[in-house]
Amino acid sequence: MKTKSSCILIVCLLVAFYTKAQTKHSKVTNYPNYKGLVMAGYQGWFREPKEGIMYPDENKIRIDMWPDVSEYSKTYPSGLKLANGKTAQFFSSDDQSTVDLHFKWMKQYGVDGVFMQRFYTGTELQSRHKGSTNVLRNAMVAASKYDRAIGVMYDLSGLKPGQDCSRLIEDWKYLVDSLKVTNQNGTKTYVYHNGKPLVTIWGLGFPDRDYSIRNIGIARFIDFLKNDSKYGGCAVMLGVPTYWRELNADCAPDPYLHELIKQADIVLPWTVQRFSPLLHNDMDRYRDLMLADIKWCKENGVDYAPCVTPGFSWHNLSKIEFPNDIKPVGSIPRQGGRFYWQQISTAINAGATMLYVAMFDEVNEGTAIFKCSDSPPVSEVAKFVTMDGKPSDTYLWLTGEAGKMLRKEIPLSNEMPARN
């Protein structure tokens, strides 16, 4: 009986191993672990309108930074003028040439890669083959071309009460089967963590959302990503509020969030707008928060990816969304990169082994690190954050230096590096 039981056990283990080995993901990637990487979020939502004019009405401008479009091969006129009287131009994320240029910059400046944001509303069957999918398809090609890490980040924004995450299961199958996201043609660059394809789910625990994390089937989606025999075997990163550990302040007071985090592999706290260079010793508060977070994560077997951001501004957006509470331009100032570097050095000094940058191309909230203009359009209505007199590539360069410092290729320093 003992021999028979042993044989049965061996057979079961072999079957389990064989089944796991049949997942549709590539067995190799140039990025087998998030640790040691500085990754940014990529929105990709700036689309050419049907009339061919970007932002035709200056009263409806929703962005607070203007891109430096001098290197784009294809741009579109806007309804705004530059100081010299010329029409201000903008890009479209739908253009393959735009995405290619962005990944070329990542390679040039040493930015390790990006997580492509995929919003819940974009996973509807009628939307699945266009919009963000086209951007993602182009990004997969560019990531392989320039050997940059790329991952999928599901953003639950737009999820309504009564809906659940079953649609995301079907969408992940679609991305794996049709776009080959985890087994792209050419150089394999999908970002893995501990040897497993990394999938991010952002938007759990925020009290201003219409949905409850208890009834959207999120645990089932996580289980599918981790354990499905064909599409699973993945690592999961969860995007949560800043105060997820204490379940207060910007976080819903539901301990179920901790249960979900313990099922995941990495926790990513969203700290945009939570810290400012205008507050005395705010980096000390940022450091203390991370130290306590990292301690919790080590005790519970979860890795930790702190969020850093160059600054924040949503003056133009607030005029539309919150007309009774209009925000100032550059409410969290960049200080020419000093605030960004303070966060980076503080996070690494606290023990961070990976970083998430918010964001690569987010000009709506003024957090972009890609090339932006120090001479934006002039308007009596719309106002824009400048580059504080710095070159348009300042934040791309700083992000590349951050990666070097994270990997101990250059010494840890609280002082922002000077360019030669």
Side-chain angles (χ1 to χ4, degrees):
M1 287 296 292
K2 184 176 181 181
T3 302
K4 184 177 180 181
S5 299
S6 299
C7 290
I8 293 174
L9 177 59
I10 292 172
V11 170
C12 289
L13 290 173
L14 288 173
V15 169
F17 175 80
Y18 180 79
T19 301
K20 185 177 181 180
Q22 298 309 299
T23 61
K24 298 191 174 188
H25 315 308
S26 172
K27 293 180 175 60
V28 297
T29 177
N30 283 0
Y31 296 92
N33 208 310
Y34 189 0
K35 291 182 179 179
L37 302 181
V38 179
M39 299 280 288
Y42 191 99
Q43 303 279 29
W45 58 21
F46 306 100
R47 315 280 166 74
E48 176 196 4
K50 292 180 180 180
E51 62 271 19
I53 299 177
M54 305 286 284
Y55 310 107
D57 185 351
E58 65 179 356
N59 292 290
K60 296 181 180 178
I61 295 291
R62 302 172 70 91
I63 63 175
D64 269 34
M65 298 186 76
W66 199 265
D68 174 2
V69 297
S70 59
E71 296 179 49
Y72 291 80
S73 60
K74 188 174 184 180
T75 58
Y76 302 84
S78 73
L80 296 168
K81 299 290 185 180
L82 301 174
N84 60 10
K86 293 183 178 180
T87 298
Q89 300 285 318
F90 208 92
F91 66 85
S92 171
S93 301
D94 266 337
D95 294 334
Q96 184 274 334
S97 61
T98 293
V99 177
D100 185 89
L101 178 62
H102 289 169
F103 277 81
K104 180 181 178 181
W105 286 342
M106 295 177 211
K107 177 73 171 182
Q108 179 181 353
Y109 292 96
V111 179
D112 292 312
V114 289
F115 290 102
M116 305 295 297
Q117 287 203 287
R118 190 164 179 81
F119 290 88
Y120 184 81
T121 52
T123 63
E124 296 174 348
L125 190 58
Q126 62 269 28
S127 305
R128 189 176 291 166
H129 305 289
K130 55 186 180 181
S132 62
T133 299
N134 183 53
V135 177
L136 176 58
R137 183 181 294 109
N138 290 334
M140 296 301 301
V141 173
S144 183
K145 177 180 178 181
Y146 295 107
D147 191 13
R148 295 297 90 187
I150 188 169
V152 171
M153 174 178 282
Y154 284 107
D155 191 320
L156 299 183
S157 300
L159 184 69
K160 301 298 182 183
Q163 296 177 321
D164 64 35
C165 293
S166 59
R167 195 164 79 200
L168 298 183
I169 291 176
E170 296 307 312
D171 188 74
W172 178 246
K173 291 179 180 179
Y174 165 74
L175 295 183
V176 171
D177 288 336
S178 299
L179 267 67
K180 308 294 183 184
V181 291
T182 57
N183 194 17
Q184 73 217 86
N185 294 325
T187 305
K188 313 298 184 187
T189 65
Y190 193 89
V191 63
Y192 284 37
H193 186 65
N194 294 332
K196 301 176 181 179
L198 179 58
V199 182
T200 306
I201 308 167
W202 192 94
L204 298 173
F206 294 87
D208 60 346
R209 299 303 170 101
D210 293 332
Y211 51 85
S212 166
I213 57 175
R214 289 183 176 267
N215 56 22
I216 57 172
I218 188 65
R220 186 162 61 91
F221 184 41
I222 293 172
D223 179 72
F224 170 82
L225 291 172
K226 294 180 76 70
N227 299 311
D228 186 79
S229 60
K230 291 185 178 180
Y231 300 91
C234 299
V236 175
M237 180 165 69
L238 299 183
V240 299
T242 300
Y243 298 99
W244 61 274
R245 178 174 41 81
E246 298 176 336
L247 300 174
N248 59 22
D250 67 341
C251 184
D254 187 347
Y256 183 57
L257 179 62
H258 287 176
E259 295 182 32
L260 295 173
I261 291 172
K262 290 174 184 178
Q263 295 175 34
D265 299 85
I266 309 174
V267 62
L268 164 62
W270 183 252
T271 52
V272 177
Q273 282 189 284
R274 303 298 183 263
F275 301 92
S276 170
L278 300 179
L279 296 177
H280 181 63
N281 290 335
D282 216 25
M283 285 301 96
D284 291 344
R285 188 167 63 91
Y286 181 54
R287 176 203 60 210
D288 293 345
L289 179 83
M290 284 188 290
L291 288 172
D293 282 356
I294 291 172
K295 181 177 183 293
W296 188 99
C297 287
K298 287 181 177 178
E299 291 172 351
N300 290 278
V302 180
D303 285 322
Y304 184 75
C307 173
V308 296
T309 187
F312 185 84
S313 180
W314 63 351
H315 171 74
N316 295 322
L317 179 65
S318 69
K319 289 191 300 183
I320 299 172
E321 300 288 343
F322 314 105
N324 296 322
D325 186 22
I326 299 175
K327 307 298 181 183
V329 180
S331 55
I332 299 179
R334 294 182 168 226
Q335 298 184 327
R338 291 195 304 275
F339 177 57
Y340 187 43
W341 194 259
Q342 283 176 344
Q343 294 166 79
I344 291 167
S345 59
T346 300
I348 296 174
N349 196 39
T353 59
M354 61 195 93
L355 294 177
Y356 177 85
V357 176
M359 308 279 289
F360 185 85
D361 58 341
E362 170 63 287
V363 292
N364 296 74
E365 298 180 352
T367 63
I369 63 166
F370 74 163
K371 296 186 181 184
C372 285
S373 176
D374 202 39
S375 301
V378 293
S379 170
E380 292 297 321
V381 180
K383 306 298 179 183
F384 301 97
V385 174
T386 67
M387 294 293 289
D388 300 317
K390 299 288 186 179
S392 65
D393 64 351
T394 294
Y395 295 91
L396 289 170
W397 181 79
L398 285 174
T399 305
E401 293 300 294
K404 295 176 185 177
M405 192 164 69
L406 178 70
R407 293 185 289 271
K408 296 181 173 57
E409 296 166 7
I410 60 175
L412 175 64
S413 175
N414 294 326
E415 296 295 324
M416 189 175 76
R419 299 181 74 168
N420 296 327

